[in-house]
Amino acid sequence: MAIRLFNTYSRAVEEFQPLDPPRVKMYTCGPTVYSHAHIGNFRAYLFEDLLQRHLESRGFEVERVMNITDVDDKTIRGSRETGEALSEFTAPFKRAFFDDLDTLRIKRADAFPEATDPRQISAMIEMIKTLIERGLAYQAEDKSVYFRIKSFPDYGKLAHFNLDELQSTGRVKSDEYEKENVGDFAVWKAWDAEDGEVAWDSPWGRGRPGWHIECSAMATQLLGEQLDIHCGGVDNIFPHHEAEIAQTEGCTGKKFVRYWLHCAHLLVDGQKMSKSAGNFYTLRDVLARGYSGREVRYALLRVHYRVPLNFTWEGMDEARQALGRIDDWLARLREHAGQTDDAGAASENQFSAALDDDLNISGALGVLFETIRETNRAIDQQTLSSTDAARWLRWWEQIERVLAVTDTGDSAIPAQIAALVEQRAQARLAKDFAKSDELRDQIASLGWEVRDTKDGQKVTRRAGA
Ligand SMILES: [Zn+2]
């Protein structure tokens, strides 16, 4: 069964053939840790997770690296504003990022290299040296080192535009006079006063690496000179990934990446997400409204990765309902299968077959819900044997390894809800029933229902909330 993937480089769906099967070397651009990652970032990380899990379900051994950008203009600005050292400023955002990955059940990459790691900085410096030796980079009057795009004929091939256009239409800013060409990008940025304490020694003076060189160096350092898959969001295509190709191939002389995969944007209520428009959400913002990690996971996974995803609260409720159907179906099947465990041979899974087609998740979910409908009907009509039920449960296990949305109870009650429930217990102890009712309404507005039983408060998610 061949897997087919859309390659941004060729703009065509191609049969997936890694260099050294079953190994797959996969690099995914990671977060810049100056704030909490937003749901658009997580859409891309979830698409990458789906890709990895599907490849693994098809027998590939995926080795994945995701970088952590912990030095750039934004992290430096943030640390200046809070008066902390750069590493102190970024540490809590790194921790939060890993917590969020767990909440969304995203498999950990094999390595999460950090840009400020001295080994990575040396790898970047080595690459820049090679680029200069080969005439592909130069140090300008401002002491920064730039990549010379006109010396790399393939520049522009990933983004599919030609270099002459870029040169003739590029706006030349007055402060860019040092560069030979407006499109030349910095691989090493010379220190300036804004950088404060953040600087490393290099053959070109003190400074810091450019963002693009981070990924080229980390990818080749940890995965080798040639990757099978490189992913990111569409906004990474240019200049970031174009620059990665130029730098890496400029150093190695080998084809850097076989398959470039890019995830489309996430919109909120049909609009671009932005802080100024008031429609900007981190994962934590969504959880605070009473949704669980698996609900967010499902809502962000269910749209094909190359189609823009429109995030809405109705969409979150649809995700909750869809998962409720899966939960109910599994409960029925388990009851029906009883002790039967003789499920026979697993049949070819049409769910996986749909994903083989460039991760066609809508097709795959269509197969799942059609199966749920049919088996529910068979149970109603008492035509489903316990062996059949056991077989469908085994079928689900294969799917769950890829979807990872089963109710495990781990994300049952968000911390915010648990805190309100605790306050309500205190109010009731103090016989403050007005306060208790007020808290119950507040909990209800967040999508949870609290009932008083003889064993104390019982908290459940509100149906259709
Ligand atoms: Zn990158």
Side-chain angles (χ1 to χ4, degrees):
M1 179 58 67
I3 293 178
R4 293 170 307 281
L5 299 171
F6 182 85
N7 189 345
T8 307
Y9 201 88
S10 63
R11 294 286 195 277
V13 175
E14 298 175 14
E15 187 170 311
F16 178 62
Q17 194 61 51
L19 201 56
D20 179 25
R23 293 183 68 197
V24 173
K25 294 181 179 188
M26 178 168 164
Y27 186 88
T28 49
C29 288
T32 302
V33 282
Y34 72 105
S35 66
H36 291 134
H38 59 68
I39 52 175
N41 302 133
F42 284 113
R43 185 205 182 183
Y45 305 147
L46 279 162
F47 137 66
E48 291 154 0
D49 187 57
L50 181 70
L51 175 62
Q52 174 171 6
R53 286 170 180 269
H54 180 58
L55 290 170
E56 288 173 347
S57 81
R58 287 306 200 192
F60 290 103
E61 293 162 14
V62 178
E63 186 182 355
R64 184 161 67 91
V65 171
M66 177 180 265
N67 65 299
I68 305 277
T69 298
D70 57 359
V71 55
D72 78 324
D73 291 346
K74 286 181 269 191
T75 46
I76 292 173
R77 196 184 310 126
S79 76
R80 238 193 6 249
E81 282 166 10
T82 61
E84 291 166 296
L86 184 64
S87 60
E88 280 171 44
F89 171 74
T90 57
F93 296 117
K94 285 180 192 173
R95 279 197 301 275
F97 174 68
F98 288 109
D99 288 346
D100 289 353
L101 290 185
D102 290 347
T103 301
L104 292 174
R105 306 179 184 185
I106 294 173
K107 283 188 83 161
R108 294 281 176 105
D110 297 278
F112 289 96
E114 299 180 349
T116 56
D117 180 333
R119 288 168 302 178
Q120 300 302 339
I121 297 276
S122 334
M124 295 173 214
I125 289 175
E126 285 310 309
M127 279 190 103
I128 298 168
K129 276 190 203 162
T130 307
L131 292 174
I132 293 176
E133 276 163 27
R134 298 193 173 176
L136 287 161
Y138 60 92
Q139 185 167 29
E141 283 170 51
D142 66 353
K143 300 287 179 238
S144 290
V145 179
Y146 294 94
F147 188 93
R148 181 180 278 129
I149 58 170
K150 74 172 194 307
S151 60
F152 187 78
D154 284 348
Y155 194 76
K157 284 217 168 143
L158 177 70
H160 290 233
F161 58 58
N162 84 45
L163 199 51
D164 297 339
E165 267 171 53
L166 179 74
Q167 284 169 328
S168 61
T169 61
R171 289 161 307 193
V172 182
K173 284 191 266 166
S174 58
D175 63 348
E176 287 183 329
Y177 65 93
E178 301 97 342
K179 291 200 262 177
E180 291 175 4
N181 186 298
V182 64
D184 289 355
F185 55 88
V187 289
W188 185 262
K189 292 184 175 169
W191 181 88
D192 69 29
E194 304 265 283
D195 291 346
E197 312 249 290
V198 180
W200 288 266
D201 287 320
S202 82
W204 317 285
R206 284 179 74 69
R208 58 181 164 106
W211 173 39
H212 314 314
I213 199 79
E214 287 179 18
C215 282
S216 286
M218 293 180 183
T220 50
Q221 169 102 328
L222 292 159
L223 292 170
E225 294 179 339
Q226 296 187 284
L227 314 181
D228 294 303
I229 299 177
H230 193 314
C231 301
V234 284
D235 50 338
N236 289 149
I237 296 175
F238 190 85
H240 185 50
H241 289 165
E242 196 74 59
E244 279 190 43
I245 294 174
Q247 297 164 150
T248 314
E249 297 188 2
C251 282
T252 66
K254 291 178 188 161
K255 177 95 177 154
F256 177 36
V257 171
R258 293 166 74 79
Y259 304 88
W260 284 95
L261 271 66
H262 292 97
C263 177
H265 286 292
L266 176 138
L267 303 168
V268 174
D269 294 323
Q271 306 289 314
K272 193 171 186 293
M273 185 164 70
S274 76
K275 281 183 176 146
S276 55
N279 65 351
F280 183 95
Y281 300 116
T282 64
L283 173 62
R284 283 127 199 273
D285 295 331
V286 181
L287 299 178
R289 297 234 188 170
Y291 294 98
S292 64
R294 72 175 184 130
E295 288 169 341
V296 182
R297 177 178 173 89
Y298 185 89
L300 297 184
L301 271 185
R302 67 181 179 144
V303 173
H304 188 256
Y305 75 95
R306 286 198 289 123
V307 175
L309 186 154
N310 188 25
F311 178 90
T312 61
W313 297 113
E314 296 80 55
M316 283 305 307
D317 291 339
E318 283 164 25
R320 174 172 292 175
Q321 281 158 20
L323 292 180
R325 285 180 64 198
I326 295 174
D327 295 345
D328 293 345
W329 173 66
L330 289 172
R332 286 190 92 187
L333 283 180
R334 283 192 195 105
E335 194 182 324
H336 213 71
Q339 299 304 309
T340 308
D341 157 29
D342 166 28
S347 52
E348 168 54 21
N349 196 325
Q350 292 305 310
F351 180 93
S352 305
L355 288 184
D356 285 343
D357 177 19
D358 193 30
L359 295 184
N360 179 3
I361 188 71
S362 347
L365 292 174
V367 169
L368 172 63
F369 284 103
E370 184 54 31
T371 302
I372 291 178
R373 239 188 318 276
E374 284 174 11
T375 45
N376 274 334
R377 194 184 304 132
I379 293 173
D380 292 341
Q381 296 170 347
Q382 300 185 327
T383 56
L384 193 85
S385 69
S386 57
T387 310
D388 287 340
R391 188 167 58 84
W392 285 118
L393 283 169
R394 189 165 302 179
W395 181 81
W396 166 255
E397 278 171 24
Q398 282 177 285
I399 293 174
E400 169 62 8
R401 276 200 287 276
V402 176
L403 273 189
V405 294
T406 299
D407 183 9
T408 51
D410 59 344
S411 54
I413 301 173
Q416 186 200 11
I417 302 297
L420 291 170
V421 170
E422 175 55 27
Q423 283 177 38
R424 187 166 177 272
Q426 296 301 326
R428 292 178 71 77
L429 276 174
K431 306 246 182 277
D432 184 351
F433 295 108
K435 177 81 182 163
S436 161
D437 288 350
E438 195 184 297
L439 283 161
R440 187 182 52 207
D441 293 345
Q442 196 183 343
I443 292 166
S445 74
L446 293 168
W448 292 76
E449 185 175 24
V450 56
R451 283 175 296 119
D452 299 302
T453 72
K454 60 176 172 22
D455 301 323
Q457 301 183 86
K458 277 259 186 296
V459 186
T460 48
R461 205 176 286 283
R462 283 172 66 206

